[in-house]
Amino acid sequence: MRENKKEMNAAIEALLSELTLSEKCRMIHGVGFFVSGDVPRLGIPGIVSSDGPCGVRNDFYPDRWYVIGTTADYVSYLPSNSAIAASWNTELAHDCGMVLGREARGRGKDVILAPGINIKRNPLCGRNFEYLSEDPYLVSEMAVQIIEGIQENDVAACVKHFVCNNQELDRYSVNAELDERTFREIYLPGFEAAIKRAKSLSIMGSYNLFRGEHGSESRSLLTDILRKEWKYDGLVFSDWAANHDTRDAAESGLDVEMGISADFENYYLAKPLEKAVEAGEIDEECINEKVRNILRFLIRVRKIVIEYTKAAGRGKKAKAVAVPVSDRDPGYYGGLVMHEYALKAARETVILLKNEKKRLPLKPSTTRRILVIGDNANRVHANGGGSAEIKALYEVSPLLGLAREYGGNTEVHYTPGYYVPKKIRDGANWQEFSVMDTFSTAPADDKGYSANEKKEKKRLKDEAVRLAKEYDDVIFIGGLDHDLDVEGADRKSMKLPYGQDEVLNAVLDVNPDTIVVMVAGSPVDMRAWKDRAKAILWMSYNGMEGGTALAEIISGTVCPSGKLAESMPGCYEDTPVAHFGEYPGRKLTAAEKKRMKACNRTGEYKEGVFVGYRYYEKFKVPVQFPFGHGLSYAEFKYSDMTVKKNAGVITVSVKVKNTGIVTAKEAVQLYVGEKKVSKENPVKELKGFVKTELKPGQSKVLRFRLTEKELSHFDAKEGAWKADSGAYLISIGSSSADIRCSRSVKL
Ligand code: BGC
């Protein structure tokens, strides 16, 4: 429905004029951990929020970090953003958003604190599983769909964390410094698309500092870019306890300060602000602007309408009151149809990285005995990871998925293979301590085992090796878990935890046909066994039906179609952050110390625009698997590429044919680069993709549309996007490293 802005603004002004200073101050900060202040006298409700990207989080007491713990908050568990991105399917992204929004509304929320869309700059970042990709184009396309899906349900998305929240280590106090071009080309486009194209009704600032200002009270980000440049009139939340200063919080584009302490009255935007306004130190108009945004938000999510009578003559006041919208979408959660969406999405998130000698699929008709090794076969992940944790109605583990898929004629035997120490973050209230609690290393580590643990480790490995000799079909399911893919901590290295390399190699020694499945939210170092394993599958935390989807792909019921949304470097030392960039950041200079508060280091993004494949290609650094890679049980032939230029628009077409013997989906990727690549530019960049389904023998012509913007780079001197004239190469392929056809075009 189109908004009548004039009408809405008049109503908002009328209600605003009824509010006292302390009522207004109450509205702009949390009065519970997930609710902002209300004004019952005028019918104004608080804004009820909930995490997070994979589903609607369990309910907490408003002033204690303890889960309430009834059975009423079990929900559907959706694939994490790292999994959704691997589908390269925008329709699925939309469906996942729609389910998330519907369930959030069903649970009585006004805003779901999702999606997380920070660029995956560093494979060690503990929250990468909540994020989409290393590529800004892929991030933008997926984020837009997720947000639009969420917001179909009278509920708001809250895109986060604006911006450059690219590491968890010292996330509260690290300052990100980067040049303007890099900022505009890599880190900003996802947020810009979320705000301008998807019209995200809210956005969350970040903990970290950006060019010396904390993200959640930064004038350059929240005022200059968001409010002035993008003309954003939606709602800006702080991250939880991310504010440091009343004036900055008040005078920047922030609207609502949320926190983790129950001392709500003393939040920066509560009593301290009220006092500052009374003392004439801060202009009340800052508060009015926030209240306007809050009221507009409440109208947009259809929580209230404002009823008002116009002022009856000069000197008379308009009378206004907020009333609930009676036919607001009630949403619902946990329904069977949601589980079908979760399954449909999960199927496309699984990536076949390697399949030598057609080791996969493992046909059920001829498979009689399967040995499954590895903790991730038997583990569920929904209730972990930090604020992304949820109480899943159920979660099909890979082991359950396999046992169900193969049925009663096949023996599916499980052995753990390696030892996983007890989690150190068990317990519900980690968030209470979250501002103090960032790890420099992930909690679980191979070192430091007790004598008994060492014995157990050996026993599990010996058992796996003994059994692997006996079984024809062995599937190793390992990787990471939410002790490592976790909020508040970065991994120490890309090495697999729990001695998995050693176990896997010992198993491959006795059974070279072993199929390997990696479950993880971030790249891991697979070099110890990657060349030996014939078949490798990759999946992220892919929701309540993740195990079903994996099993269907192993059996061949479903053809794999996921592709990497991030490059897989061999080790951390190979990454652009390690080579050029700075992580976890250097000590502050004396000038920085003076200028910045609550900051203890600066990380300069010296790699510039060379993030992910832009770096590996430019500097010819080999990776384990390239961006966009993912195999199928079918083969595809690409042909008849055409490029036409007309009135500033370039239309590209290509014919793709399924030359295999099974129905399959293919994510066809379009990259653009200069024909003669200049020093400052990447070799090529993703500028289009289409996922299509093809029956055996079927072909389709796919079309892409490019404008000058897609051929442009940000010229920092001129502060504008500019396309240089010259020859460009448009390449179409099955991955960034598997280009099937290309044509050049002159600008
Ligand atoms: C996280 C946010 C989350 C918030 C509320 C913070 O620690 O960074 O992503 O939405 O907590 O739980």
Side-chain angles (χ1 to χ4, degrees), residues 404-470:
R404 288 196 337 191
E405 178 71 6
Y406 284 85
N409 293 340
T410 303
E411 178 208 352
V412 177
H413 183 78
Y414 174 68
T415 188
Y418 55 90
Y419 170 74
V420 178
K422 194 172 153 10
K423 296 195 168 299
I424 68 158
R425 257 212 196 167
D426 269 348
N429 60 352
W430 65 270
Q431 204 153 6
E432 186 176 354
F433 307 104
S434 59
V435 272
M436 304 165 235
D437 173 30
T438 55
F439 297 89
S440 57
T441 58
D445 202 328
D446 289 342
K447 295 193 188 89
Y449 290 132
S450 67
N452 271 347
E453 284 176 314
K454 281 186 188 147
K455 235 196 229 159
E456 180 63 357
K457 245 183 118 182
K458 183 173 178 324
R459 188 188 69 77
L460 292 177
K461 181 179 145 199
D462 291 349
E463 170 91 351
V465 171
R466 182 180 66 75
L467 289 169
K469 283 185 205 154
E470 287 173 22

Side-chain angles (χ1 to χ4, degrees), residues 279-326:
E281 291 158 13
I282 291 178
D283 186 352
E284 189 170 347
E285 188 46 30
C286 309
I287 306 180
N288 291 344
E289 198 50 30
K290 298 181 199 309
V291 171
R292 286 186 190 105
N293 292 336
I294 291 170
L295 293 175
R296 192 178 302 113
F297 176 90
L298 289 168
I299 294 171
R300 283 179 174 163
V301 295
R302 302 188 71 243
K303 189 163 184 168
I304 59 163
V305 285
I306 299 175
E307 288 182 352
Y308 75 107
T309 50
K310 297 207 172 90
R314 275 187 99 206
K316 296 255 164 34
K317 269 183 72 184
K319 278 245 154 292
V321 62
V323 291
V325 175
S326 57

Side-chain angles (χ1 to χ4, degrees), residues 497-719:
Y498 320 131
Q500 290 180 67
D501 283 343
E502 196 190 322
V503 176
L504 191 40
N505 268 322
V507 168
L508 281 165
D509 282 345
V510 297
N511 192 324
D513 284 340
T514 299
I515 293 157
V516 182
V517 180
M518 286 285 115
V519 181
S522 281
V524 296
D525 181 350
M526 300 180 263
R527 292 171 306 171
W529 43 265
K530 172 185 147 269
D531 292 339
R532 304 180 65 197
K534 295 192 175 111
I536 306 174
L537 284 158
W538 178 276
M539 67 183 215
S540 203
Y541 306 104
N542 56 353
M544 63 203 302
E545 288 288 356
T548 313
L550 176 68
E552 287 175 341
I553 280 168
I554 290 177
S555 75
T557 307
V558 170
C559 186
S561 68
K563 300 214 181 203
L564 289 174
E566 63 199 298
S567 314
M568 289 275 156
C571 59
Y572 175 66
E573 289 65 37
D574 284 353
T575 66
V577 196
H579 190 79
F580 283 127
E582 275 181 338
Y583 169 82
R586 59 161 169 78
K587 283 206 175 115
L588 298 182
T589 61
E592 282 176 330
K593 266 191 198 150
K594 240 184 171 171
R595 186 162 59 90
M596 304 191 287
K597 52 176 151 311
C599 178
N600 68 6
R601 53 176 108 205
T602 280
E604 281 186 47
Y605 290 23
K606 289 187 188 155
E607 71 282 12
V609 296
F610 298 105
V611 174
Y613 68 90
R614 286 167 171 78
Y615 169 79
Y616 303 112
E617 289 189 349
K618 184 84 179 181
F619 296 90
K620 302 198 169 54
V621 178
V623 290
Q624 299 179 98
F625 297 100
F627 177 79
H629 171 75
L631 303 171
S632 167
Y633 295 149
E635 292 86 43
F636 302 96
K637 187 171 164 246
Y638 289 54
S639 66
D640 304 348
M641 178 175 173
T642 67
V643 177
K644 280 192 198 115
K645 233 171 61 182
N646 191 0
V649 176
I650 302 169
T651 319
V652 183
S653 76
V654 69
K655 193 164 150 188
V656 180
K657 182 174 183 183
N658 179 347
T659 56
I661 52 167
V662 288
T663 296
K665 289 188 178 180
E666 169 78 333
V668 178
Q669 302 158 38
L670 181 146
Y671 296 87
V672 177
E674 292 161 326
K675 195 145 185 222
K676 204 171 158 292
V677 184
S678 47
K679 207 174 136 248
E680 61 275 14
N681 290 333
V683 175
K684 63 181 189 299
E685 298 178 275
L686 183 74
K687 295 292 171 183
F689 63 92
V690 176
K691 190 152 186 187
T692 188
E693 184 172 62
L694 295 164
K695 296 199 181 73
Q698 190 186 1
S699 58
K700 275 185 196 164
V701 175
L702 306 175
R703 288 195 167 72
F704 303 84
R705 191 176 174 274
L706 297 171
T707 62
E708 221 174 78
K709 175 81 194 275
E710 278 84 44
L711 273 55
S712 304
H713 285 285
F714 191 81
D715 183 329
K717 270 196 213 114
E718 295 196 11

Side-chain angles (χ1 to χ4, degrees), residues 51 57 127 160-161 171 204 207 239-240 431 487:
D51 288 299
R57 195 179 180 189
R127 281 185 101 169
K160 65 190 188 184
H161 309 85
R171 62 175 172 161
M204 186 188 295
Y207 282 124
D239 200 343
W240 270 229
Q431 204 153 6
E487 180 174 342

